[in-house]
Amino acid sequence: MRIAVFGANGPTGRHLTDQALAAGHEVVAVTRRAGSPAERPGLAVVIADATDPAAVAAAIGGTDAVLSALGARFSKETITTYSASAMAITGAMARHGVKRLLAVSSSIADPDWRPTGAHFFNHVLDPLVNRRLGRTLHEDMLRMEAIIRQTDLDWTLVRPSGLFEHPVVTDFHTAETSADGVFTARADLAASMLRELEERRYVHTAMGVITTAVKPNIVKLIWNEGVKKK
């Protein structure tokens, strides 16, 4: 299968690209920055702004599926990365007749998501980090989801929980709408997307994904994913 990966140079996109190539897929890695990822067999790198309809249309021509791992930083200002790219990508897919789309969103998009037994997270971290510091980011994720839901594409909204780095794929769990857990390793997120690409269990719905085998240090997670990246 020939797959376009948007956000290919981001932390999740790199896992997606590597795992897809290892599985025998051809990958069109769409990134804004020249020089990365480095081209190798089965990989074509396209420099494009994911919010530019013309550039996006040129990037996905001849592909069989689109996987979006685009991301944005927390900001007090209005964020449009997710919604603007969703408009460009879905429009280009309709133009080219590409039907399959998987787009990374967040468990936060499910208003009823409250991980079982995670009292500190549910009552302290989630209100402070996700609902306050990440408010504008998650608002745009919701706009992205609404745009995608209105299309006639074969879409899946992929909703991880708190993302962290882990070098290899582990045991992970998926569920419709959202999954009951606090953390998701990016390697597992990528693996779940590639599995869903083949199995098509969550077409026209959201797929929650959580990591069950390992857990990150929560202080280090907040530092690496929130403070350090600013």
Side-chain angles (χ1 to χ4, degrees):
M1 191 178 297
R2 186 171 174 83
I3 303 168
V5 176
F6 283 83
N9 196 46
T12 298
R14 289 192 290 270
H15 285 286
L16 264 177
T17 298
D18 290 343
Q19 290 183 27
L21 290 171
H25 297 293
E26 295 180 43
V27 176
V28 178
V30 187
T31 178
R32 289 183 301 171
R33 291 180 293 188
S36 57
E39 294 199 29
R40 54 191 189 270
L43 176 66
V45 178
V46 175
I47 308 304
D49 183 339
T51 65
D52 180 341
V56 170
I60 71 169
T63 61
D64 303 300
V66 174
L67 276 58
S68 175
L70 292 165
R73 302 274 192 259
F74 283 4
S75 173
K76 294 180 181 179
E77 306 299 323
T78 299
I79 292 172
T80 60
T81 301
Y82 298 98
S83 54
S85 63
M87 288 292 292
I89 290 170
T90 57
M93 291 178 69
R95 175 179 171 184
H96 284 288
V98 181
K99 295 289 289 184
R100 191 68 172 110
L101 171 65
L102 289 91
V104 174
S105 180
S106 170
S107 295
I108 301 300
D110 174 12
D112 297 322
W113 177 65
R114 294 293 184 276
T116 301
H119 182 84
F120 180 70
F121 176 85
N122 288 333
H123 296 281
V124 179
L125 287 182
D126 184 46
L128 174 61
V129 178
N130 293 322
R131 316 287 173 173
R132 184 176 177 183
L133 298 178
R135 179 180 59 82
T136 57
L137 184 149
H138 293 116
E139 286 174 346
D140 197 40
M141 280 186 170
L142 290 174
R143 290 190 288 269
M144 173 193 72
E145 289 202 355
I147 290 166
I148 292 172
R149 288 179 184 277
Q150 292 170 2
T151 71
D152 61 357
L153 301 174
D154 293 339
W155 52 265
T156 301
L157 300 169
V158 185
R159 292 174 171 174
S161 297
L163 289 168
F164 69 100
E165 282 298 331
H166 191 69
V168 296
V169 177
T170 72
D171 290 335
F172 59 86
H173 173 70
T174 61
E176 188 171 346
T177 306
S178 61
D180 187 8
V182 178
F183 304 113
T184 307
R186 289 191 175 90
D188 292 343
L189 172 58
S192 74
M193 294 174 73
L194 292 171
R195 187 177 75 180
E196 170 58 18
L197 186 62
E198 301 291 340
E199 294 185 354
R200 298 175 60 88
R201 294 176 56 197
Y202 299 98
V203 176
H204 296 157
T205 190
M207 176 183 76
V209 53
I210 56 167
T211 293
T212 58
V214 294
K215 292 182 180 180
N217 179 291
I218 197 162
V219 174
K220 184 181 293 186
L221 174 67
I222 293 171
W223 173 259
N224 290 336
E225 302 298 328
V227 179
K228 187 178 178 181
K229 285 187 175 181
K230 292 184 178 181

